[in-house]
């Protein structure tokens, strides 16, 4: 159970908290919450879903960090590409 709780706390909150601490104006509160909740859903699916053989060897922590990274930097890139 501790491995699951650790995956949730680190996978969902590590990247958004680091970015919010290092660059306070970089991500909005809405993006912070969206990234954290979406990562929690992805971790839950990864942990309890029916995954193909071999994929379940990847720890849910990395999946949560990856999803958080994709969401945050995807939104930031889209904001930069958006015409003024």
């Amino acid at each position: 159970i501790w491995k699951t709780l650790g995956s949730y706390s680190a996978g969902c909150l590590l990247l958004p908290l680091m970015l919010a601490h290092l660059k306070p104006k970089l991500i909005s509160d809405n993006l912070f919450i969206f990234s954290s909740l979406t990562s929690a859903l992805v971790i839950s699916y990864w942990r309890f879903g029916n995954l193909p053989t071999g994929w379940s060897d990847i720890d849910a922590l990395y999946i949560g960090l990856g999803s958080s990274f994709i969401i945050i930097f995807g939104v930031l890139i889209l904001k930069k590409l958006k015409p003024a």
Side-chain angles (χ1 to χ4, degrees), residues 38-84:
T38 306
S39 295
L41 290 172
V42 170
I43 289 173
S44 296
Y45 175 75
W46 191 263
R47 181 67 81 187
F48 304 113
N50 189 10
L51 299 173
T53 306
W55 285 100
S56 59
D57 294 338
I58 301 173
D59 192 36
L61 165 72
Y62 303 118
I63 302 303
L65 285 173
S67 66
S68 183
F69 180 85
I70 289 169
I71 291 167
I72 290 174
F73 288 103
V75 168
L76 292 176
I77 288 170
L78 288 175
K79 279 185 181 179
K80 278 198 165 202
L81 295 177
K82 185 177 177 183

Side-chain angles (χ1 to χ4, degrees), residues 27-41:
I27 62 172
S28 66
D29 293 342
N30 290 337
L31 180 56
F32 182 93
I33 291 171
F34 180 72
S35 171
S36 298
L37 290 177
T38 306
S39 295
L41 290 172

